[in-house]
Every structure is written in C-alpha cells, then in structure tokens.
Amino acid sequence: MTEGLRERKKRQTRQHISDVATGLFLERGFDAVTIAEIAAAADVSVNTVYNYFPAKEDLFLDRQDDVVDWLSSVVRGRADGESAARAVLRALRAEAVAVSPRLGLIDGYDRFLRVVGESQALTSRLAAMDRQATEALTVTLAEEAGAAPGDVLPELVAGQLAWLRATLAGHIGRALLTGRTAKDVSRDALVLLDEMEELMGEKLLGYADRTVRPTV
C-alpha cells in the first residue's frame, strides 16, 4: 500500500521530534531536558510531542516495539528443520557480520549508552523491555512447539535465548565504551557467540525444531 500524504507527514513529524529530542539528550543528559524544551526546539506544541510519544522515555527509546518483538519474529521465521535457538544464533551472527545498529554496532553508540547509564528512568525502561521480550518469546515458543498447558520449557528456553542476546549486547556495549570501533567489536561478538553456543546443551539447541515440510 502506498503511503499517503497525511501518513508521510505524520511519520516525518514523529521522526523530526525524535531526532531533536535525541540530540538534546545526548548533549545534556536525559533527566536535564524537559518536554517543553523539546517541543520548543522542534517547533511544535507540547501536546503534539505527547501525541506521538506518550512518555518521555519513548522519545529516546523510539524503536522499542522492534526490540521487544525481535526474538519472537526470528523464531517465527525460522527455516525448515531449524530450531528456535539455532535460528536466534544465526540471526545474531548475521547482525554481527553486518555490523548492525540493531546490536549497537555503530560508532558513537557509546554516547547513547552513557545517557542511559546516567538515567534511572531509561535503565528501568530497558529492563522492562527485556522482560516484555522474554514474555513475548515464551508465548511464541509455546505456540511453535505445541507445548501443553503448564509446560515450563517455553519459559526456560525463552530465558536462555534472552540471556544470549542480553549477554552479547552487554559485551558490545562495554567494548564500545572503551573507545573501540564497531567493526572491531563485531569480530569479538562472533567469537563470543561461538563460545556461548558451546555452553548450550542439545535439548536447548534442538527445542522447537521446525519439521521439514515435504516437497510436492
């Protein structure tokens, strides 16, 4: 469907407000900037800001829906004969090879991390997003594996796969904060993924293995 003029204008306005807010947060810190200051800098009303971003944290973490759903979408889109864990490992390796911003592999991301580290509100929001992602993945795994009611395996596997992503992201973030480049850190990320896969048992690695569909 072609994007209409109204939809395009709304998308551009939302992106403009987000960009202005992010610039102010990076310059002065999240807690020091008010919504009124963001509205003035973006040349919109305070109500307009809230129409697009219900909470201040939404202005800085404006891709949270993608973050929350990513693990589930990877599992749902896994290939024939591929398990949930192997699909996530494959997807994370692809992101590392691509030096993807999805993993924080972008030069200058350390500035983002410092703003988050200085704000309890942002730290709490990220923790909540991680919990939501794990809960969503638990539901997805239960559906994909055909788990019986009360089966704890989907929750256990979801926790392990969420740990996988969180551990990788934490390693990348700490490395970037030391001044290393995203491209350099991406190579370390691939090594770490290999090491984490070696720690996984076959039951985890084989969970929710998608049955190969017969060819016609």
Side-chain angles (χ1 to χ4, degrees):
M1 181 180 295
T2 303
E3 183 182 43
L5 178 62
R6 179 180 176 82
E7 289 73 23
R8 182 167 68 252
K9 185 175 181 180
K10 289 175 66 175
R11 175 176 56 78
Q12 291 171 340
T13 299
R14 186 182 192 281
Q15 189 61 55
H16 172 63
I17 295 171
S18 176
D19 290 345
V20 169
T22 298
L24 290 172
F25 293 146
L26 291 175
E27 178 184 349
R28 295 168 48 198
F30 181 79
D31 296 333
V33 179
T34 67
I35 295 294
E37 290 172 326
I38 293 168
D43 197 24
V44 298
S45 69
V46 169
N47 284 341
T48 297
V49 175
Y50 279 119
N51 284 339
Y52 286 98
F53 302 95
K56 184 179 172 184
E57 292 83 358
D58 299 328
L59 284 156
F60 197 62
L61 303 170
D62 59 345
R63 296 182 64 251
Q64 54 191 309
D65 289 343
D66 176 66
V67 172
V68 168
D69 190 56
W70 188 76
L71 284 170
S72 288
S73 66
V74 167
V75 170
R76 288 192 297 266
R78 69 197 186 284
D80 286 341
E82 187 174 44
S83 70
R86 294 193 188 284
V88 170
L89 285 163
R90 172 181 53 78
L92 288 172
R93 286 190 175 102
E95 298 287 345
V97 169
V99 194
S100 170
R102 187 190 295 276
L103 294 181
L105 287 169
I106 180 171
D107 292 330
Y109 191 67
D110 56 303
R111 297 177 63 200
F112 173 92
L113 294 172
R114 288 189 174 90
V115 172
V116 172
E118 293 168 356
S119 170
Q120 183 59 51
L122 290 176
T123 302
S124 297
R125 172 61 71 87
L126 283 175
M129 289 164 59
D130 286 342
R131 288 193 298 272
Q132 291 166 15
T134 304
E135 290 166 1
L137 181 58
T138 299
V139 173
T140 297
L141 286 169
E143 293 172 349
E144 293 291 319
D151 188 347
V152 299
L153 276 179
E155 183 178 358
L156 294 175
V157 174
Q160 289 297 304
L161 297 184
W163 164 82
L164 185 71
R165 184 177 71 168
T167 300
L168 183 66
H171 171 80
I172 289 171
R174 288 188 295 274
L176 291 174
L177 285 169
T178 67
R180 297 176 62 192
T181 67
K183 186 175 182 179
D184 183 36
V185 174
S186 69
R187 292 190 287 268
D188 286 357
L190 290 169
V191 173
L192 180 59
L193 281 168
D194 289 342
E195 292 174 345
M196 288 193 289
E197 183 174 5
E198 290 177 0
L199 293 174
M200 296 179 175
E202 284 305 315
K203 189 168 186 177
L204 172 59
L205 287 171
Y207 188 77
D209 190 354
R210 174 165 282 169
T211 302
V212 178
R213 290 187 288 267
T215 57
V216 178

